[in-house]
Amino acid sequence: MRKFAIILLIGIFVTVITACSANSDQAAENSSGNGEISGDLTVFGWGGGEELQSRKEATKIFKKLYPKVKVHEVWLPADNIDVKLDAALAAGNAGDVIMMSPDWKGLRSKWFEDLNPYIEKDQLDLEALLTQGVDGGYVDADGKREGMPTTASDFMIAYNKDIFDKAGLPYPTNDWTWDDFSATAKQVSSGEGANRVYGIVSHWILQSFAPFIYGGMPYNEDWSKQTLDDPNTLKGYQLFGDLVNAKAMPDDAAAKSMPMDQMFAAGRAAMYPLGVFEASTIAKNIGSNFQWGIVMPPKDPSGKTVNIKFQTGFAMNKDSKNKEAAWAYIKTVSLNKEVGDLYSKVNLPASKESADSTFANLKIEGTDISMVDFVTGLQDAITFPWGGSIAKAGDLYEQTWQQVTVQGKSAEEAAKAYTSQIQSALDSIHQSK
């Protein structure tokens, strides 16, 4: 029996190694370049800081793989990309490859080439090649693949171990719930006035968490109906209103007195929703001020971890004059391991090979805290709910949040004031579509 078990384990091990090798070989084969592809290629995108620099470096890798392709890059500020992009698309000069976000929900689909035939031609097994959770939203309701992912980011909850120790509380674990979170935030809060230590900072991402934490949602799947007034959605908003009332989260005046990242770094808050994109900066600010760690965000009543993700990818302009080069670029910046390793410095890469090795083996700069939880947290994460074409409705959801966390209204009162306006904003999205 023991001999059989050993043989079985060896067989499983060989199978796993062979499968991993095959996946790695497929990724290498399909993103290794082709010296015969040539011509002009225009890349249209947006961004800033280290993230934009990584995208420019990714283009350099593409140029090395495809030396006969002449690449022209157009990078715009992220804050006005919607207007600029729609104008460029209408004028026919948006380029061959267009950076995109899956929260566009098919509203620019008419401009984009279906990438399914290209994937099928290259026999790409995306499930094996892409990081789990990074690909959500790139395929529309009709099955058309509008884009390929490049990077994603999500959140962990950073916590100050010294504050927890002083309060005599155990550190949070990956199995905690939002009720646990609320109780913990209140228990670790202490002090008065300018010396108040808060349980959680007033972070801008918390508004995005609020509708989902008790199993609710702000709107239905196709954006046709608001669900702000769903009891589970309201309960999520109310949790944060209650934290402000209990002085476990800063009120508006306290939040404006010190930036949220500085509040955590200075030991004035026990917990902080930490984005992967800011982990290095936060770590530098904390320095040796205190011991800290990270934990997955809490679970909803069904046992699912609630997390928010931001995603970016690239689409192909259906009117591109060089679709062969356009697909080569998209495939490279999505699947190539060298590109994925480059992206790992600032975000989670789409390349599973890079995410499972280079990124997962990283430590938050200056600490012994592993980045691997960020990969795990992405798997069930919810796409940022207020971006892209839903921005107008998103502004109204933000006003609802302000009513609860700043004005002191109950979630139910706030919802009554905004549900009809939000529904009108959602209706306008479909009318424009």
Side-chain angles (χ1 to χ4, degrees):
M1 182 68 181
R2 181 182 177 189
K3 181 177 180 181
F4 173 77
I6 292 173
I7 294 173
L8 179 61
L9 286 172
I10 292 173
I12 292 172
F13 179 75
V14 171
T15 302
V16 170
I17 293 298
T18 304
C20 291
S21 175
N23 290 340
S24 179
D25 291 345
Q26 185 190 13
E29 177 184 348
N30 287 290
S31 57
S32 59
N34 184 336
E36 299 307 310
I37 296 178
S38 61
D40 289 345
L41 181 75
T42 299
V43 177
F44 191 102
W46 68 84
E50 293 182 4
E51 187 172 22
L52 176 57
Q53 187 58 40
S54 72
R55 300 202 181 281
K56 292 179 178 180
E57 292 296 324
T59 298
K60 291 181 181 179
I61 293 173
F62 171 78
K63 289 178 179 179
K64 181 176 65 176
L65 296 173
Y66 298 87
K68 294 183 180 180
V69 179
K70 186 175 182 180
V71 182
H72 310 273
E73 296 175 273
V74 179
W75 300 104
L76 298 173
D79 57 0
N80 64 352
I81 186 62
D82 287 306
V83 174
K84 296 284 187 181
L85 176 57
D86 285 336
L89 287 167
N93 57 12
D96 303 280
V97 175
I98 301 167
M99 192 170 164
M100 68 169 296
S101 173
D103 56 22
W104 289 353
K105 287 272 189 179
L107 299 181
R108 293 186 175 94
S109 184
K110 65 180 181 179
W111 303 107
F112 297 153
E113 182 90 351
D114 184 0
L115 298 182
N116 281 317
Y118 298 86
I119 293 167
E120 292 167 5
K121 180 181 177 182
D122 287 349
Q123 298 182 329
L124 298 177
D125 181 0
L126 296 187
E127 187 173 345
L129 297 173
L130 292 174
T131 305
Q132 186 176 355
V134 79
D135 196 34
Y138 290 97
V139 178
D140 71 12
D142 297 323
K144 175 183 176 181
R145 175 169 283 277
E146 298 182 352
M148 285 281 286
T150 54
T151 60
S153 58
D154 60 351
F155 292 82
M156 295 292 113
I157 303 295
Y159 60 94
N160 183 321
K161 292 183 178 181
D162 293 358
I163 293 177
F164 274 78
D165 290 344
K166 185 177 179 180
L169 291 177
Y171 304 143
T173 70
N174 289 340
D175 293 325
W176 63 335
T177 67
W178 285 97
D179 285 341
D180 296 332
F181 168 86
S182 177
T184 298
K186 294 171 184 175
Q187 289 173 304
V188 295
S189 300
S190 65
E192 297 294 336
N195 296 319
R196 179 72 175 173
V197 173
Y198 296 94
I200 181 74
V201 300
S202 183
H203 195 291
W204 52 267
I205 198 60
L206 294 177
Q207 182 213 342
S208 300
F209 276 89
F212 303 99
I213 63 178
Y214 286 109
M217 55 195 307
Y219 43 73
N220 65 351
E221 189 66 28
D222 66 357
W223 296 1
S224 62
K225 185 180 186 301
Q226 68 79 26
T227 54
L228 173 62
D229 51 3
D230 180 279
N232 291 328
T233 305
L234 292 176
K235 188 177 180 181
Y237 279 90
Q238 192 61 55
L239 177 143
F240 291 102
D242 291 344
L243 287 178
V244 173
N245 291 334
K247 296 184 179 180
M249 190 169 90
D251 60 17
D252 190 48
K256 289 177 178 177
S257 69
M258 179 182 288
M260 59 186 182
D261 53 342
Q262 292 182 26
M263 183 173 284
F264 181 68
R268 291 277 313 283
M271 294 182 286
Y272 183 94
L274 181 69
V276 61
F277 50 85
E278 60 181 343
S280 176
T281 300
I282 296 295
K284 289 177 183 176
N285 291 340
I286 294 172
S288 58
N289 291 347
F290 52 81
Q291 296 296 310
W292 62 291
I294 61 173
V295 65
M296 298 277 275
K299 296 178 181 293
D300 69 12
S302 72
K304 178 181 175 181
T305 297
V306 179
N307 208 335
I308 302 295
K309 62 182 175 182
F310 291 86
Q311 302 161 267
T312 52
F314 279 95
M316 184 192 303
N317 190 334
K318 68 176 181 59
D319 294 327
S320 169
K321 300 297 190 294
N322 195 349
K323 294 182 179 179
E324 186 178 31
W327 170 241
Y329 184 92
I330 292 170
K331 183 171 60 173
T332 299
V333 297
S334 181
L335 301 178
N336 180 274
K337 186 178 185 297
E338 186 179 0
V339 172
D341 291 347
L342 174 69
Y343 285 158
S344 292
K345 297 176 182 179
V346 291
N347 264 321
L348 273 160
S351 165
K352 187 176 189 299
E353 187 178 8
S354 291
D356 289 347
S357 57
T358 304
F359 185 90
N361 290 327
L362 290 176
K363 304 285 187 183
I364 296 178
E365 187 175 349
T367 77
D368 60 357
I369 302 172
S370 174
M371 299 286 274
V372 70
D373 279 347
F374 283 101
V375 179
T376 305
L378 190 68
Q379 294 175 7
D380 293 320
I382 300 159
T383 299
F384 179 65
W386 321 122
S389 301
I390 204 170
K392 181 179 177 181
D395 289 342
L396 295 168
Y397 283 104
E398 181 177 4
Q399 291 176 40
T400 304
W401 168 263
Q402 294 290 330
Q403 288 287 308
V404 176
T405 60
V406 177
Q407 300 300 324
K409 301 285 183 66
S410 71
E412 188 173 352
E413 288 176 308
K416 286 180 180 178
Y418 283 95
T419 49
S420 62
Q421 296 179 61
I422 290 171
Q423 186 60 53
S424 295
L426 295 178
D427 290 343
S428 69
I429 294 174
H430 291 274
Q431 290 166 5
S432 64
K433 182 178 179 181

